[in-house]
Structures are given as C-alpha cells and as structure tokens.
Amino acid sequence: MAKKRPHTKAKQPTSKAGARAAGADGHVPVVGAREPCPCGSGRRYKACHGRAAAHAVTELVQRPFEGLPGECDWVALRELVPAATVELNLKESLPEGVPSVTLATVLPMAWPALRREDGSVLLGLQNDTASGDISRDLADTLQRALTAKPGTPVEGRRAPADGPRLQDLLDPEGAFEPVVHSGFEFWVPDAENATADVTASLERANAAAIPTVKLAGVDAAYWCETPDKNHLRWVMPHPEEQLLDALARLHAAGRSNLGEGTRLVGSFRAHGLTVPVWDLPTSVTADDIEKPAAEFAERLATALAIDAPLTAEERRARGGLTNRQVTLS
C-alpha cells in the first residue's frame, strides 16, 4: 500500500526584508517561476516558495472524501457506478436562481459541471482532476457552476491551492442518498422529446453502462451484472489492515461467501478505502443478495472485534486476498 506523504508547509521568511515582502500575514505573492522570490531569499521563485506551492497543489490526498456524509458512496460513485445522481446540500443557502445542486457520476462530453437552462447545477464526479486533491477540484468547479450562465457547461481547471474543499461547502449533517439509474436520461429534462443527436448520444452511453443496483440493507454495496458473471462490490470504511485481518479470519473459516456459488475474490483500494469484491452466479440478482449481505455484515462485525494474532491458516488466507488486491486510486 502506498504510504501517505507528509504535508509540507512552505518555509516562512527568515529575514526582515523577507517578512516585509511576504506581507504581515506571511503570505508570499506568486510571481514568475524564474523571477526572484518575493520572500527575499535571493533564490528564484520556482526554487523557493514556488516549490512548496507546486507541491501543495499536486500532493495526493489519500482520502479526499473523508469527513463528508456518505464517504463510502462517494468512492463508489467515483469509481464503480456508471449512472447515478445525488442531491447535494450546501452549508450556505443556494444563490438566487439556482434551485438545486445535483452530483452526477458523469455528464455529457465529460463536462466537469453544467448549469442548466433552469439554473440548476449538475456536478460531474468521474472526471480527471488537475491536482492531487479531488475534493478541492470539485469544490472549485461547483463554485464556478453556481455563477455560470444558465445553459452553459463549466470547463475544468486546476483549483487554487488555498481554495475551499467540498468539506467546506457541503452541509456535514446533510443526507447523501445516491439514486442509481439504468441509463443517462437524467442528462436532459425531457429525454423522450430530445433531438436525434442527443438521442443517439444517450443510446451510446446507455449501451456502455453496466447494469448496477445499490443494495438497500447495507451501506455502500453495489451489485452489478456482466456477461460472464455478476459481482458485488462493497466499499467499507474500516481501516485497511483491520479489515483485511477480519476478511482473512472469515475466509479461512469458510464464512466469507454470500451463499452457494459465490466467492470473495479480492478487493480494490480506492481513495483510501478498501472495496471487497465477490463473484456471483449470473442467476443471482440484487434482491437475492440482500439477505446474505446483511448476514455477512454481522459476521464481519464479529471478526473485526477480534484482536488476537492471525493463525497460520488465516495468514495464508490474508496473503491470498492481498495478492489479488488492485489499487484504483
């Protein structure tokens, strides 16, 4: 597992001249990369405070959705679910003329965001981001979408290093309730009367989407259908090492499956969380897996509470699980 790099703060000016150049609050203004650094060090900006500023923008945030309601579902919608939407609740009142803000897994043309004709905002989640902090990039896109002209998309850009994050903009007590869709008709207000070009685009997008269902009885578990077999992918909030130990205990005891013909095959690692994956027979539907998943959650809770060292058999089971682990982000 990749180790999280420690946060590096920019060096503060050490000379009186540097302090004056930086300002009373210690802020160093940005200048050209080859120009002298305003802090008074005598070095070029790119080799002095510019280096720290660039690092602050590109440093990878391992858990960008930590602290948000529904962190596990944020990860699932970012990495696993083709078509879903969530109504977002902001800390502050919505600006006049913006009736709602909706998070969407993906938008037409991979737009980062879209301000619709009626003023509502759609924020795309499955987009490439310019920095190492997805939360900051999304917050920057959201803020620009709130003031965009109705009927226009919002282009991507690198968010300011000191800009707000989603955790600063969204209501920490607000509900996060994903609605999984069978297709992308939510892109347009009236899909039935859409133009031929829009209809063709929707048909192409819908054809590529893997049928997916969110389980109702457990958190952040998603059933999906593929040609050869079905799967359950379950984003879990537990610390990775503790979770892998618990899964290994259950696997060694023959209690890690979800019923006849199912098998725990490994896990993903995504945005700081672990996502166990089960293979399911093609005959097993989302409804069929609800009860087994709830029963597994109870077994897992018991296994998570055990702090004894793993047995030799459990260690072998753990090794098999980690050998099949894939890092998505």
Side-chain angles (χ1 to χ4, degrees):
M1 181 178 66
K3 295 183 178 178
K4 185 175 181 179
R5 290 178 289 177
H7 177 69
T8 303
K9 293 183 178 180
K11 295 179 180 179
Q12 296 298 317
T14 55
S15 67
K16 292 182 179 179
R20 287 194 299 271
D25 60 358
H27 174 69
V28 179
V30 176
V31 297
R34 294 181 177 275
E35 296 178 26
C37 187
C39 78
S41 66
R43 291 181 292 173
R44 290 179 177 177
Y45 176 72
K46 71 174 184 177
C48 191
H49 280 84
R51 176 181 298 172
H55 177 73
V57 171
T58 59
E59 183 182 14
L60 178 64
V61 176
Q62 298 288 346
R63 289 180 61 179
F65 308 117
E66 184 176 15
L68 290 173
E71 179 188 6
C72 293
D73 284 311
W74 276 92
V75 173
L77 268 55
R78 168 76 182 184
E79 299 294 341
L80 307 175
V81 181
T85 55
V86 186
E87 295 299 313
L88 296 181
N89 301 289
L90 275 59
K91 287 183 179 180
E92 305 294 336
S93 299
L94 291 173
E96 184 177 356
V98 180
S100 63
V101 174
T102 302
L103 181 73
T105 47
V106 66
L107 295 177
M109 307 297 292
W111 288 325
L114 172 66
R115 181 89 184 275
R116 283 177 157 167
E117 291 287 355
D118 66 357
S120 61
V121 168
L122 290 177
L123 176 66
L125 182 57
Q126 295 180 12
N127 294 304
D128 292 334
T129 53
S131 78
D133 187 351
I134 297 170
S135 178
R136 196 179 308 280
D137 288 330
L138 288 171
D140 177 70
T141 301
L142 173 56
Q143 285 191 312
R144 291 185 290 124
L146 292 173
T147 58
K149 181 180 178 182
T152 61
V154 176
E155 300 296 334
R157 73 172 188 181
R158 173 171 287 185
D162 59 350
R165 307 178 73 236
L166 288 173
Q167 289 81 347
D168 302 315
L169 301 182
L170 301 184
D171 181 358
E173 304 299 326
F176 190 83
E177 300 175 352
V179 177
V180 178
H181 304 277
S182 59
F184 294 91
E185 282 74 17
F186 64 85
W187 282 352
V188 292
D190 186 6
E192 293 184 357
N193 296 315
T195 65
D197 287 344
V198 171
T199 299
S201 178
L202 281 173
E203 289 177 351
R204 288 192 298 270
N206 290 343
I210 296 174
T212 301
V213 177
K214 186 181 189 300
L215 297 195
V218 294
D219 292 334
Y222 291 81
W223 172 95
C224 67
E225 178 184 10
T226 61
D228 297 328
K229 58 176 69 78
N230 298 340
H231 304 279
L232 183 72
R233 301 179 289 188
W234 192 341
V235 187
M236 296 187 172
H238 318 291
E240 182 180 29
E241 298 302 315
Q242 181 187 8
L243 176 58
L244 290 175
D245 281 354
L247 292 174
R249 295 183 198 279
L250 295 174
H251 202 59
R255 306 184 69 207
S256 64
N257 62 40
L258 298 173
E260 184 178 355
T262 69
R263 185 168 68 99
L264 174 64
V265 293
S267 63
F268 297 117
R269 183 190 294 115
H271 306 294
L273 299 182
T274 303
V275 189
V277 178
W278 286 262
D279 279 353
L280 313 173
T282 55
S283 60
V284 174
T285 67
D287 287 340
D288 294 335
I289 213 68
E290 286 279 7
K291 183 178 178 180
E295 293 171 346
F296 178 84
E298 294 180 359
R299 298 198 298 273
L300 179 63
T302 299
L304 285 166
I306 301 173
D307 57 6
L310 297 179
T311 66
E313 186 177 1
E314 290 167 347
R315 288 197 299 272
R316 285 192 294 271
R318 193 185 195 280
L321 291 173
T322 55
N323 286 341
R324 297 191 295 272
Q325 189 175 51
V326 176
T327 300
L328 297 182
S329 56

